[in-house]
Amino acid sequence: MLKAAGAAAGAVGIGTAVLPTPAAAAGAYAHPGLLHTRADLDRMAAKVKAGAAPYTAGFAKLTANRHSQSGWAANPQEIVYRGSGSPQNYRTLYNDVHAAYQNGLRHHVSGDGAHADTAVAILNAWSAKLTALHGSADRFLAAGLYGYQIANAAELVRDHPDFELDRFQEMLSTVFAPLSDDFLARHNGAVVSNYWTNWDLAAMACVLAGGIFCDDKAQVARAVEYFKHGEGLGSVKNAMPVVHDDGLAEWLEAGRDQGHALLGVGLMGTFCEMAWNQGIDLYGYDDSRFLKGAQYVAKWAMGGEVPFTANTRRKGAINGWSGSETVTSAAPVDPAMTRPIWAMIANHYTKRRGLSASYLTQIAAKSAPEGGGGDYGPNSGGYDQLGFGTLAFTRDKATATGTGGSPSPAASASAAAGSGSDPRPQTGGSPASPSASASSAAAAGDLAATGSNDIIGWTAATGITALAGGVLLLRRRDRARRASQ
């Protein structure tokens, strides 16, 4: 059972506006409806055909990428290993996943059926052969990252007559989702704060994407509930435990290093976008807390000064070795470092919702045009996001604007009618009870092969107050309490 620190989720709203229900078959989710809706795909195609900037620059990045070529041949494996095992062959998986996604996206923009055929061939080859993901703790990263990505690639071609939909859904449900579900429930046998924010977020993205793709409402509900109330560091208030007086929400992993903080922001944005396209507003959840966190990371990543609250997290195995680590300041940054994550987030808040987000606007412009897998280095980190946000997420701005964390009714109504904005409504209700995970926890000692042992800037500190449960120790600012005094 996935653990929750709060009550079951109820109905969620943005401001006081109620947006129209997405068009979906009774009892099913809207398809395509992960990172890209039908309106999104139609917008991309129309804008590129019209020669509109910056879509053309974004499409040029796509067509220049070697993964987007229709001659790509899949190399499926029966067992994928990451972190340990023989051989460590996970690079084969992520390269093929990105080739399937890029060919699927290129098909929708250009209309060239050869790219759709290539994407289908890649995905069918993997669903026919893959049976398991093995390795060290990194197998959970493989399940999370490549699980949400391969679901998005398949969503682009799920209606292709040659696509083996049932077999692909079975692969998602038996190979990828069980590992991610199990990680959120058990955290590989570690204390809940042992693994950094991005580990949870990768697993959450896989559970959500697989649930939507397979029309599994209980699975989607588990993912959404974890975002809101999960005990691990990927839930929204644990990922951003402090909201400062300047309106920025401190991103916990900024105390670790820049690359992983950017990864986490990108994964949370991906999670929010997929949920939004099914009528679930997590972008605006808790007074748009994610906006405040993304602004914090954007300012910090561009070299700006940001406040930071000393915090301590527990680490180690349950009933085994244990310890704690404390960080007192945000890690150093390289302003030249980037990931293809910003266009999606900036366009949601500034175009769909008409809010001011100056740091997001600046960093999105600096990062444009965004490429994808293969454009950010040969190692796995360059394939953590699907990318191409300049092409996929650039939107026309709504006519009404606001300044708060949620749009006004007028702004929401304008967004609902805005060209290319494709707003989605809120849905609520208590999530269904999660089923038991299919995977067992790893053996003791096999914790975070590339996670908890890769620490930057941790030092001893004192005078720190404990969060409820004693998992993460923080000095919080109680803005609401002080405002009432």
Side-chain angles (χ1 to χ4, degrees):
M1 300 288 286
L2 292 184
K3 301 173 183 177
V12 179
I14 48 173
T16 57
V18 178
L19 302 179
T21 301
Y29 290 104
H31 299 291
L34 289 177
L35 284 174
H36 313 302
T37 66
R38 173 58 58 192
D40 293 333
L41 297 168
D42 290 346
R43 179 185 67 249
M44 294 178 225
K47 294 289 190 179
V48 170
K49 183 177 181 180
Y55 301 90
T56 50
F59 187 59
K61 293 288 288 187
L62 176 62
T63 58
N65 193 301
R66 71 184 183 89
H67 296 78
S68 77
Q69 310 309 311
S70 60
W72 188 277
N75 184 20
Q77 307 293 310
E78 182 177 358
I79 299 176
V80 166
Y81 298 89
R82 177 168 174 167
S84 64
S86 178
Q88 253 201 98
N89 57 357
Y90 66 101
R91 291 174 177 81
T92 300
L93 175 57
Y94 68 64
N95 274 284
D96 277 2
V97 168
H98 281 257
Y101 172 77
Q102 291 181 27
N103 272 278
L105 189 62
R106 188 169 177 179
H107 158 69
H108 280 284
V109 178
S110 69
D112 188 341
H115 293 289
D117 294 342
T118 297
V120 167
I122 295 168
L123 297 167
N124 283 349
W126 278 93
S127 68
K129 191 166 185 178
L130 183 65
T131 62
L133 303 172
H134 290 172
S136 67
D138 283 13
R139 69 193 182 280
F140 294 109
L141 289 178
L145 293 170
Y146 313 139
Y148 94 77
Q149 291 175 358
I150 202 169
N152 270 277
E155 186 79 350
L156 294 174
V157 294
R158 66 180 295 137
D159 294 330
H160 192 287
D162 295 333
F163 178 59
E164 297 286 350
L165 176 61
D166 292 343
R167 192 174 72 199
F168 190 88
Q169 289 177 322
E170 181 179 2
M171 179 184 70
L172 285 180
S173 299
T174 61
V175 177
F176 290 96
L179 275 173
S180 291
D181 252 331
D182 185 75
F183 183 81
L184 296 177
R186 308 174 193 274
H187 287 88
N188 195 29
V191 295
V192 73
S193 60
N194 182 80
Y195 288 92
W196 285 100
T197 299
N198 70 85
W199 287 75
D200 266 8
L201 286 169
M204 291 158 60
C206 175
V207 174
L208 179 65
I212 293 170
F213 190 89
C214 297
D215 293 314
D216 186 332
K217 291 185 176 181
Q219 185 171 325
V220 171
R222 291 199 300 275
V224 172
E225 171 66 5
Y226 198 93
F227 175 92
K228 295 177 179 179
H229 304 300
E231 291 186 358
L233 301 186
S235 62
V236 65
K237 291 185 180 180
N238 288 341
M240 295 164 282
V242 180
V243 178
H244 291 281
D245 292 336
D246 60 3
L248 300 181
E250 185 173 309
W251 190 263
L252 182 70
E253 212 158 2
R256 180 188 182 188
D257 62 56
Q258 182 182 4
H260 287 97
L262 294 177
L263 168 60
V265 170
L267 288 171
M268 186 169 283
T270 294
F271 191 92
C272 291
E273 184 70 17
M274 294 189 297
W276 176 272
N277 286 332
Q278 297 300 333
I280 306 166
D281 180 26
L282 300 177
Y283 276 119
Y285 181 74
D286 192 29
D287 194 27
S288 295
R289 196 180 190 96
F290 178 50
L291 167 60
K292 299 168 186 177
Q295 283 268 88
Y296 177 99
V297 174
K299 179 181 180 181
W300 166 68
M302 290 187 293
E305 292 291 329
V306 292
F308 194 87
T309 305
N311 64 77
T312 297
R313 67 187 185 94
R314 290 180 56 212
K315 52 180 287 191
I318 296 173
N319 299 321
W321 67 273
S322 63
S324 63
E325 293 171 319
T326 300
V327 65
T328 58
S329 62
V333 300
D334 175 4
M337 180 185 292
T338 190
R339 285 178 180 256
I341 64 174
W342 298 111
M344 175 176 61
I345 303 167
N347 273 275
H348 173 80
Y349 286 114
T350 66
K351 302 294 181 67
R352 276 188 181 139
R353 308 194 93 133
L355 303 177
S356 175
S358 59
Y359 300 118
L360 285 175
T361 301
Q362 292 172 43
I363 202 166
K366 182 180 178 181
S367 302
E370 290 180 352
D375 293 323
Y376 297 88
N379 297 324
S380 61
Y383 293 82
D384 288 339
Q385 281 85 29
L386 291 169
F388 301 105
T390 303
L391 169 66
F393 301 111
T394 300
R395 303 178 183 279
D396 296 328
K397 190 169 185 177
T399 56
T401 61
T403 57
S406 298
S408 65
S412 295
S414 174
S419 171
S421 60
D422 190 33
R424 297 283 175 165
Q426 284 54 247
T427 56
S430 299
S433 298
S435 60
S437 300
S439 299
S440 61
D446 178 22
L447 293 174
T450 61
S452 64
N453 295 325
D454 183 18
I455 309 301
I456 292 180
W458 292 97
T459 59
T462 58
I464 301 170
T465 306
L467 279 177
V471 173
L472 185 65
L473 307 176
L474 294 164
R475 287 181 290 137
R476 288 179 175 269
R477 297 190 178 189
D478 191 346
R479 299 173 59 207
R481 175 182 58 78
R482 290 188 288 115
S484 66
Q485 292 177 337

